[in-house]
Amino acid sequence: MNLFEAPFLPAVEIAWRLSRRAWGHGYATEAATAALDFAFDRLGLEEVVSFTATVNTRSSAVMERLGMIHDSAGDFDHPVLPPGHRLRRHVLYRLSAGRRRDRRTTSAGPGRFRVRRPASGRRVSPCRCPCSPRPAARSAEEGGG
């Protein structure tokens, strides 16, 4: 069911919405990567799209990190928002199964997420959820506690 009409519809869309506190930690990229893995590997989809308001450069950056391509011919004015609204103009990104396969064979595999270093200089994992793999504990002989 489409909530509005657009030339690229029907399509399968990937989207995210995070509280401001969660921005900049890699959560959107990590979750979207898992969703794309499911869409292409398990569901066998040929294409996934994503779109956002042109002013939402953070989401556009996530789409680009995912390997999505900006389809400027598909950019549109969101019909639910009134003319002149600052969020009305939207950009469309696409990712085909073929491009996804190509990117995966040339990527470094697991750990393909950029690790950020905060001002403190400490290394921060892009995900701190309980399902993330943790390094094995080191024994006392190896210099562990």
Short mmCIF file of all heavy atoms in Angstrom, two decimals, residues 73-131:
data_model
loop_
_atom_site.label_atom_id
_atom_site.label_comp_id
_atom_site.label_asym_id
_atom_site.label_seq_id
_atom_site.Cartn_x
_atom_site.Cartn_y
_atom_site.Cartn_z
N ALA A 73 17.02 12.09 -10.93
CA ALA A 73 15.81 12.10 -11.76
C ALA A 73 14.58 11.68 -10.94
O ALA A 73 13.45 12.00 -11.31
CB ALA A 73 15.97 11.19 -12.96
N GLY A 74 14.82 11.01 -9.83
CA GLY A 74 13.72 10.55 -8.98
C GLY A 74 13.40 11.48 -7.83
O GLY A 74 12.45 11.23 -7.08
N ASP A 75 14.19 12.55 -7.64
CA ASP A 75 13.91 13.50 -6.56
C ASP A 75 12.49 14.04 -6.72
O ASP A 75 12.01 14.20 -7.85
CB ASP A 75 14.93 14.63 -6.57
CG ASP A 75 16.33 14.18 -6.16
OD1 ASP A 75 16.50 13.00 -5.78
OD2 ASP A 75 17.25 15.00 -6.26
N PHE A 76 11.83 14.33 -5.61
CA PHE A 76 10.42 14.71 -5.69
C PHE A 76 10.02 15.61 -4.53
O PHE A 76 10.72 15.69 -3.52
CB PHE A 76 9.55 13.44 -5.70
CG PHE A 76 9.64 12.64 -4.42
CD1 PHE A 76 8.64 12.73 -3.45
CD2 PHE A 76 10.72 11.79 -4.19
CE1 PHE A 76 8.72 11.99 -2.28
CE2 PHE A 76 10.80 11.04 -3.01
CZ PHE A 76 9.80 11.15 -2.07
N ASP A 77 8.89 16.27 -4.71
CA ASP A 77 8.26 17.04 -3.65
C ASP A 77 7.29 16.11 -2.94
O ASP A 77 6.40 15.52 -3.58
CB ASP A 77 7.50 18.24 -4.21
CG ASP A 77 8.43 19.30 -4.77
OD1 ASP A 77 9.56 19.43 -4.25
OD2 ASP A 77 8.04 20.00 -5.72
N HIS A 78 7.48 15.95 -1.64
CA HIS A 78 6.62 15.04 -0.88
C HIS A 78 5.20 15.61 -0.87
O HIS A 78 4.98 16.73 -0.40
CB HIS A 78 7.14 14.87 0.54
CG HIS A 78 6.66 13.63 1.17
ND1 HIS A 78 5.34 13.42 1.49
CD2 HIS A 78 7.32 12.50 1.53
CE1 HIS A 78 5.20 12.23 2.03
NE2 HIS A 78 6.40 11.65 2.08
N PRO A 79 4.24 14.85 -1.38
CA PRO A 79 2.88 15.38 -1.54
C PRO A 79 2.13 15.60 -0.23
O PRO A 79 1.13 16.32 -0.20
CB PRO A 79 2.18 14.31 -2.38
CG PRO A 79 2.95 13.07 -2.16
CD PRO A 79 4.37 13.50 -1.91
N VAL A 80 2.60 15.04 0.87
CA VAL A 80 1.92 15.22 2.15
C VAL A 80 2.28 16.57 2.77
O VAL A 80 1.54 17.10 3.59
CB VAL A 80 2.27 14.06 3.10
CG1 VAL A 80 1.69 14.25 4.49
CG2 VAL A 80 1.80 12.74 2.52
N LEU A 81 3.40 17.14 2.36
CA LEU A 81 3.85 18.43 2.92
C LEU A 81 3.43 19.58 2.00
O LEU A 81 3.50 19.46 0.78
CB LEU A 81 5.37 18.41 3.09
CG LEU A 81 5.88 17.34 4.06
CD1 LEU A 81 7.39 17.25 4.03
CD2 LEU A 81 5.38 17.62 5.47
N PRO A 82 3.03 20.69 2.58
CA PRO A 82 2.53 21.82 1.78
C PRO A 82 3.66 22.51 1.01
O PRO A 82 4.82 22.48 1.43
CB PRO A 82 1.93 22.76 2.82
CG PRO A 82 2.64 22.44 4.09
CD PRO A 82 2.97 20.97 4.02
N PRO A 83 3.33 23.13 -0.13
CA PRO A 83 4.33 23.90 -0.87
C PRO A 83 5.00 24.92 0.04
O PRO A 83 4.36 25.53 0.89
CB PRO A 83 3.52 24.59 -1.98
CG PRO A 83 2.32 23.72 -2.14
CD PRO A 83 2.02 23.18 -0.76
N GLY A 84 6.32 25.06 -0.12
CA GLY A 84 7.08 25.99 0.69
C GLY A 84 7.60 25.42 2.00
O GLY A 84 8.44 26.04 2.66
N HIS A 85 7.13 24.25 2.39
CA HIS A 85 7.61 23.62 3.63
C HIS A 85 9.07 23.23 3.44
O HIS A 85 9.45 22.70 2.40
CB HIS A 85 6.76 22.39 3.96
CG HIS A 85 6.99 21.86 5.33
ND1 HIS A 85 8.11 21.15 5.68
CD2 HIS A 85 6.22 21.95 6.45
CE1 HIS A 85 8.03 20.82 6.96
NE2 HIS A 85 6.88 21.29 7.45
N ARG A 86 9.93 23.47 4.45
CA ARG A 86 11.37 23.22 4.29
C ARG A 86 11.72 21.75 4.11
O ARG A 86 12.79 21.43 3.61
CB ARG A 86 12.14 23.81 5.46
CG ARG A 86 11.99 23.09 6.76
CD ARG A 86 12.83 23.74 7.87
NE ARG A 86 12.95 22.86 9.00
CZ ARG A 86 13.91 21.95 9.16
NH1 ARG A 86 14.85 21.82 8.25
NH2 ARG A 86 13.93 21.17 10.22
N LEU A 87 10.82 20.84 4.46
CA LEU A 87 11.08 19.41 4.29
C LEU A 87 10.40 18.81 3.06
O LEU A 87 10.48 17.61 2.84
CB LEU A 87 10.61 18.65 5.55
CG LEU A 87 11.28 19.05 6.86
CD1 LEU A 87 10.66 18.26 8.01
CD2 LEU A 87 12.78 18.83 6.79
N ARG A 88 9.75 19.63 2.26
CA ARG A 88 8.98 19.09 1.14
C ARG A 88 9.85 18.42 0.08
O ARG A 88 9.53 17.34 -0.40
CB ARG A 88 8.14 20.19 0.50
CG ARG A 88 7.30 19.60 -0.62
CD ARG A 88 6.23 20.49 -1.08
NE ARG A 88 5.61 19.85 -2.24
CZ ARG A 88 4.36 19.93 -2.53
NH1 ARG A 88 3.55 20.63 -1.78
NH2 ARG A 88 3.88 19.33 -3.59
N ARG A 89 10.96 19.04 -0.33
CA ARG A 89 11.79 18.47 -1.40
C ARG A 89 12.57 17.27 -0.86
O ARG A 89 13.22 17.34 0.18
CB ARG A 89 12.76 19.52 -1.95
CG ARG A 89 13.49 19.09 -3.19
CD ARG A 89 12.53 19.00 -4.35
NE ARG A 89 13.20 18.51 -5.55
CZ ARG A 89 12.57 17.99 -6.57
NH1 ARG A 89 11.26 17.90 -6.57
NH2 ARG A 89 13.23 17.57 -7.63
N HIS A 90 12.49 16.14 -1.55
CA HIS A 90 13.14 14.90 -1.15
C HIS A 90 14.11 14.40 -2.22
O HIS A 90 13.88 14.61 -3.41
CB HIS A 90 12.09 13.82 -0.89
CG HIS A 90 11.49 13.87 0.47
ND1 HIS A 90 10.84 14.97 0.96
CD2 HIS A 90 11.48 12.94 1.46
CE1 HIS A 90 10.43 14.72 2.20
NE2 HIS A 90 10.81 13.50 2.52
N VAL A 91 15.16 13.76 -1.74
CA VAL A 91 16.12 13.10 -2.63
C VAL A 91 15.87 11.60 -2.57
O VAL A 91 15.50 11.06 -1.53
CB VAL A 91 17.59 13.42 -2.25
CG1 VAL A 91 17.90 14.88 -2.55
CG2 VAL A 91 17.86 13.10 -0.80
N LEU A 92 16.06 10.94 -3.70
CA LEU A 92 15.84 9.50 -3.82
C LEU A 92 17.18 8.81 -4.03
O LEU A 92 17.99 9.24 -4.85
CB LEU A 92 14.91 9.20 -5.00
CG LEU A 92 14.70 7.72 -5.32
CD1 LEU A 92 13.89 7.04 -4.21
CD2 LEU A 92 14.00 7.57 -6.67
N TYR A 93 17.40 7.73 -3.28
CA TYR A 93 18.58 6.88 -3.43
C TYR A 93 18.13 5.47 -3.76
O TYR A 93 17.07 5.03 -3.29
CB TYR A 93 19.41 6.87 -2.14
CG TYR A 93 20.25 8.10 -1.95
CD1 TYR A 93 19.69 9.29 -1.52
CD2 TYR A 93 21.62 8.07 -2.22
CE1 TYR A 93 20.46 10.42 -1.34
CE2 TYR A 93 22.40 9.20 -2.04
CZ TYR A 93 21.82 10.37 -1.61
OH TYR A 93 22.60 11.49 -1.44
N ARG A 94 18.94 4.77 -4.54
CA ARG A 94 18.62 3.40 -4.93
C ARG A 94 19.83 2.50 -4.70
O ARG A 94 20.97 2.95 -4.83
CB ARG A 94 18.28 3.32 -6.42
CG ARG A 94 17.05 4.09 -6.84
CD ARG A 94 16.88 4.01 -8.37
NE ARG A 94 15.75 4.73 -8.83
CZ ARG A 94 14.51 4.24 -8.93
NH1 ARG A 94 14.27 2.99 -8.58
NH2 ARG A 94 13.52 4.98 -9.37
N LEU A 95 19.55 1.23 -4.41
CA LEU A 95 20.60 0.21 -4.34
C LEU A 95 20.07 -1.05 -4.98
O LEU A 95 19.05 -1.60 -4.55
CB LEU A 95 21.00 -0.06 -2.88
CG LEU A 95 22.11 -1.08 -2.68
CD1 LEU A 95 23.41 -0.61 -3.36
CD2 LEU A 95 22.36 -1.32 -1.20
N SER A 96 20.76 -1.50 -6.02
CA SER A 96 20.36 -2.73 -6.70
C SER A 96 21.08 -3.91 -6.07
O SER A 96 22.14 -3.76 -5.45
CB SER A 96 20.71 -2.66 -8.19
OG SER A 96 22.12 -2.68 -8.35
N ALA A 97 20.53 -5.10 -6.25
CA ALA A 97 21.15 -6.31 -5.74
C ALA A 97 22.54 -6.49 -6.35
O ALA A 97 23.48 -6.88 -5.66
CB ALA A 97 20.27 -7.52 -6.03
N GLY A 98 22.68 -6.19 -7.64
CA GLY A 98 23.98 -6.33 -8.31
C GLY A 98 25.03 -5.40 -7.71
O GLY A 98 26.16 -5.81 -7.45
N ARG A 99 24.67 -4.16 -7.49
CA ARG A 99 25.62 -3.22 -6.88
C ARG A 99 25.98 -3.67 -5.47
O ARG A 99 27.13 -3.58 -5.06
CB ARG A 99 25.06 -1.81 -6.87
CG ARG A 99 25.99 -0.81 -6.22
CD ARG A 99 25.56 0.63 -6.48
NE ARG A 99 26.28 1.55 -5.64
CZ ARG A 99 27.54 1.96 -5.86
NH1 ARG A 99 28.19 1.52 -6.93
NH2 ARG A 99 28.13 2.81 -5.04
N ARG A 100 25.01 -4.15 -4.74
CA ARG A 100 25.27 -4.64 -3.38
C ARG A 100 26.26 -5.80 -3.41
O ARG A 100 27.21 -5.83 -2.62
CB ARG A 100 23.94 -5.07 -2.76
CG ARG A 100 24.05 -5.67 -1.39
CD ARG A 100 24.25 -4.62 -0.36
NE ARG A 100 24.14 -5.21 0.96
CZ ARG A 100 24.47 -4.59 2.04
NH1 ARG A 100 24.91 -3.37 1.99
NH2 ARG A 100 24.36 -5.17 3.20
N ARG A 101 26.07 -6.73 -4.34
CA ARG A 101 27.00 -7.86 -4.46
C ARG A 101 28.40 -7.37 -4.79
O ARG A 101 29.38 -7.82 -4.21
CB ARG A 101 26.52 -8.83 -5.54
CG ARG A 101 25.56 -9.88 -5.07
CD ARG A 101 25.32 -10.95 -6.12
NE ARG A 101 24.81 -10.40 -7.37
CZ ARG A 101 23.53 -10.16 -7.63
NH1 ARG A 101 22.62 -10.41 -6.72
NH2 ARG A 101 23.16 -9.67 -8.78
N ASP A 102 28.49 -6.44 -5.74
CA ASP A 102 29.80 -5.91 -6.13
C ASP A 102 30.49 -5.25 -4.95
O ASP A 102 31.69 -5.44 -4.75
CB ASP A 102 29.65 -4.90 -7.28
CG ASP A 102 29.20 -5.55 -8.57
OD1 ASP A 102 29.25 -6.80 -8.67
OD2 ASP A 102 28.79 -4.80 -9.47
N ARG A 103 29.77 -4.46 -4.19
CA ARG A 103 30.36 -3.77 -3.03
C ARG A 103 30.81 -4.75 -1.97
O ARG A 103 31.83 -4.56 -1.35
CB ARG A 103 29.36 -2.79 -2.43
CG ARG A 103 29.26 -1.50 -3.18
CD ARG A 103 28.33 -0.52 -2.49
NE ARG A 103 28.57 -0.34 -1.08
CZ ARG A 103 29.42 0.55 -0.55
NH1 ARG A 103 30.14 1.30 -1.33
NH2 ARG A 103 29.54 0.66 0.75
N ARG A 104 30.05 -5.81 -1.78
CA ARG A 104 30.40 -6.78 -0.74
C ARG A 104 31.64 -7.57 -1.11
O ARG A 104 32.42 -7.93 -0.23
CB ARG A 104 29.23 -7.71 -0.48
CG ARG A 104 28.08 -6.99 0.19
CD ARG A 104 26.95 -7.88 0.43
NE ARG A 104 27.06 -8.39 1.79
CZ ARG A 104 26.25 -9.27 2.29
NH1 ARG A 104 25.29 -9.77 1.57
NH2 ARG A 104 26.38 -9.68 3.53
N THR A 105 31.86 -7.83 -2.39
CA THR A 105 33.04 -8.59 -2.77
C THR A 105 34.30 -7.74 -2.73
O THR A 105 35.39 -8.26 -2.62
CB THR A 105 32.89 -9.21 -4.18
OG1 THR A 105 32.65 -8.16 -5.12
CG2 THR A 105 31.77 -10.21 -4.23
N THR A 106 34.14 -6.42 -2.80
CA THR A 106 35.31 -5.55 -2.75
C THR A 106 35.50 -4.91 -1.39
O THR A 106 36.51 -4.27 -1.16
CB THR A 106 35.21 -4.42 -3.80
OG1 THR A 106 34.02 -3.66 -3.56
CG2 THR A 106 35.17 -4.99 -5.20
N SER A 107 34.54 -5.10 -0.47
CA SER A 107 34.67 -4.49 0.86
C SER A 107 35.55 -5.36 1.74
O SER A 107 35.88 -6.49 1.40
CB SER A 107 33.30 -4.30 1.52
OG SER A 107 32.84 -5.55 2.01
N ALA A 108 35.90 -4.84 2.86
CA ALA A 108 36.76 -5.57 3.80
C ALA A 108 35.97 -6.60 4.60
O ALA A 108 36.54 -7.27 5.44
CB ALA A 108 37.42 -4.58 4.75
N GLY A 109 34.71 -6.75 4.34
CA GLY A 109 33.89 -7.72 5.06
C GLY A 109 33.47 -7.17 6.41
O GLY A 109 33.27 -5.97 6.56
N PRO A 110 33.39 -8.04 7.44
CA PRO A 110 33.00 -7.56 8.75
C PRO A 110 33.94 -6.45 9.21
O PRO A 110 35.11 -6.43 8.90
CB PRO A 110 33.14 -8.80 9.64
CG PRO A 110 33.04 -9.95 8.70
CD PRO A 110 33.63 -9.46 7.41
N GLY A 111 33.38 -5.53 9.94
CA GLY A 111 34.19 -4.40 10.39
C GLY A 111 34.28 -3.31 9.34
O GLY A 111 35.15 -2.47 9.38
N ARG A 112 33.36 -3.33 8.38
CA ARG A 112 33.41 -2.34 7.31
C ARG A 112 32.91 -0.98 7.77
O ARG A 112 32.93 -0.03 7.03
CB ARG A 112 32.63 -2.82 6.10
CG ARG A 112 31.16 -3.08 6.36
CD ARG A 112 30.50 -3.71 5.14
NE ARG A 112 29.20 -4.21 5.49
CZ ARG A 112 28.91 -5.47 5.72
NH1 ARG A 112 29.83 -6.37 5.65
NH2 ARG A 112 27.69 -5.83 6.02
N PHE A 113 32.47 -0.91 9.03
CA PHE A 113 32.01 0.36 9.56
C PHE A 113 33.20 1.19 10.01
O PHE A 113 34.15 0.66 10.56
CB PHE A 113 31.05 0.16 10.74
CG PHE A 113 29.85 -0.63 10.37
CD1 PHE A 113 29.68 -1.92 10.81
CD2 PHE A 113 28.89 -0.09 9.53
CE1 PHE A 113 28.59 -2.65 10.46
CE2 PHE A 113 27.79 -0.81 9.17
CZ PHE A 113 27.63 -2.09 9.63
N ARG A 114 33.11 2.46 9.80
CA ARG A 114 34.16 3.36 10.23
C ARG A 114 34.13 3.46 11.75
O ARG A 114 33.08 3.64 12.35
CB ARG A 114 33.89 4.73 9.61
CG ARG A 114 34.95 5.73 9.86
CD ARG A 114 34.61 6.98 9.13
NE ARG A 114 33.26 7.37 9.50
CZ ARG A 114 32.75 8.54 9.26
NH1 ARG A 114 33.44 9.44 8.62
NH2 ARG A 114 31.53 8.84 9.62
N VAL A 115 35.27 3.33 12.37
CA VAL A 115 35.34 3.47 13.81
C VAL A 115 35.71 4.91 14.11
O VAL A 115 36.68 5.45 13.58
CB VAL A 115 36.38 2.51 14.41
CG1 VAL A 115 36.53 2.74 15.90
CG2 VAL A 115 35.97 1.07 14.13
N ARG A 116 34.93 5.54 14.95
CA ARG A 116 35.14 6.94 15.27
C ARG A 116 35.98 7.07 16.52
O ARG A 116 35.87 6.28 17.43
CB ARG A 116 33.80 7.62 15.48
CG ARG A 116 32.86 7.36 14.34
CD ARG A 116 31.59 8.07 14.56
NE ARG A 116 31.60 9.08 13.52
CZ ARG A 116 30.88 10.17 13.54
NH1 ARG A 116 30.10 10.42 14.53
NH2 ARG A 116 30.93 11.02 12.56
N ARG A 117 36.79 8.09 16.56
CA ARG A 117 37.57 8.39 17.77
C ARG A 117 37.06 9.71 18.33
O ARG A 117 37.16 10.74 17.69
CB ARG A 117 39.05 8.49 17.45
CG ARG A 117 39.65 7.16 17.08
CD ARG A 117 41.16 7.29 17.01
NE ARG A 117 41.74 6.09 16.47
CZ ARG A 117 42.07 5.04 17.19
NH1 ARG A 117 41.89 5.05 18.48
NH2 ARG A 117 42.59 3.98 16.63
N PRO A 118 36.50 9.67 19.54
CA PRO A 118 36.02 10.91 20.14
C PRO A 118 37.20 11.78 20.56
O PRO A 118 38.35 11.37 20.48
CB PRO A 118 35.23 10.41 21.35
CG PRO A 118 35.78 9.06 21.66
CD PRO A 118 36.26 8.50 20.35
N ALA A 119 36.91 12.97 21.03
CA ALA A 119 37.94 13.92 21.43
C ALA A 119 38.89 13.31 22.46
O ALA A 119 40.07 13.66 22.50
CB ALA A 119 37.30 15.19 21.98
N SER A 120 38.41 12.38 23.26
CA SER A 120 39.27 11.76 24.28
C SER A 120 40.34 10.89 23.65
O SER A 120 41.30 10.51 24.31
CB SER A 120 38.43 10.91 25.23
OG SER A 120 37.91 9.79 24.53
N GLY A 121 40.20 10.53 22.37
CA GLY A 121 41.17 9.68 21.69
C GLY A 121 40.90 8.20 21.86
O GLY A 121 41.55 7.38 21.24
N ARG A 122 39.94 7.85 22.73
CA ARG A 122 39.61 6.43 22.91
C ARG A 122 38.91 5.88 21.70
O ARG A 122 38.14 6.57 21.05
CB ARG A 122 38.66 6.26 24.10
CG ARG A 122 39.29 6.30 25.42
CD ARG A 122 38.28 5.94 26.47
NE ARG A 122 36.97 5.82 25.83
CZ ARG A 122 35.84 5.65 26.45
NH1 ARG A 122 35.80 5.59 27.73
NH2 ARG A 122 34.69 5.55 25.81
N ARG A 123 39.11 4.63 21.40
CA ARG A 123 38.43 3.97 20.29
C ARG A 123 37.02 3.60 20.73
O ARG A 123 36.83 3.05 21.80
CB ARG A 123 39.21 2.73 19.90
CG ARG A 123 38.73 2.07 18.66
CD ARG A 123 39.65 0.91 18.35
NE ARG A 123 39.08 0.12 17.30
CZ ARG A 123 39.58 0.01 16.10
NH1 ARG A 123 40.69 0.63 15.80
NH2 ARG A 123 39.01 -0.73 15.19
N VAL A 124 36.03 3.92 19.90
CA VAL A 124 34.64 3.65 20.22
C VAL A 124 34.07 2.72 19.18
O VAL A 124 34.19 2.96 17.98
CB VAL A 124 33.82 4.97 20.25
CG1 VAL A 124 32.36 4.68 20.50
CG2 VAL A 124 34.37 5.90 21.31
N SER A 125 33.45 1.64 19.62
CA SER A 125 32.81 0.69 18.71
C SER A 125 31.58 1.34 18.12
O SER A 125 30.88 2.08 18.80
CB SER A 125 32.41 -0.56 19.49
OG SER A 125 31.56 -1.36 18.72
N PRO A 126 31.27 1.08 16.83
CA PRO A 126 30.07 1.67 16.25
C PRO A 126 28.79 1.12 16.86
O PRO A 126 27.75 1.71 16.72
CB PRO A 126 30.18 1.31 14.77
CG PRO A 126 31.14 0.20 14.69
CD PRO A 126 32.04 0.31 15.89
N CYS A 127 28.86 -0.01 17.54
CA CYS A 127 27.66 -0.57 18.16
C CYS A 127 28.02 -1.12 19.52
O CYS A 127 29.00 -1.83 19.66
CB CYS A 127 27.08 -1.68 17.29
SG CYS A 127 25.63 -2.45 18.04
N ARG A 128 27.21 -0.80 20.50
CA ARG A 128 27.45 -1.31 21.84
C ARG A 128 26.32 -2.23 22.30
O ARG A 128 26.16 -2.46 23.47
CB ARG A 128 27.58 -0.15 22.82
CG ARG A 128 28.79 0.68 22.53
CD ARG A 128 28.93 1.77 23.53
NE ARG A 128 30.10 2.56 23.19
CZ ARG A 128 30.56 3.51 23.93
NH1 ARG A 128 29.98 3.82 25.05
NH2 ARG A 128 31.63 4.18 23.56
N CYS A 129 25.55 -2.72 21.36
CA CYS A 129 24.43 -3.57 21.74
C CYS A 129 24.94 -4.93 22.20
O CYS A 129 26.04 -5.34 21.84
CB CYS A 129 23.43 -3.71 20.60
SG CYS A 129 24.04 -4.66 19.21
N PRO A 130 24.16 -5.67 22.98
CA PRO A 130 24.62 -6.96 23.51
C PRO A 130 24.91 -8.00 22.44
O PRO A 130 25.66 -8.92 22.69
CB PRO A 130 23.45 -7.43 24.39
CG PRO A 130 22.55 -6.27 24.55
CD PRO A 130 22.86 -5.29 23.47
N CYS A 131 24.37 -7.84 21.24
CA CYS A 131 24.59 -8.84 20.21
C CYS A 131 25.91 -8.64 19.46
O CYS A 131 26.33 -9.49 18.71
CB CYS A 131 23.43 -8.85 19.21
SG CYS A 131 23.32 -7.34 18.25
#
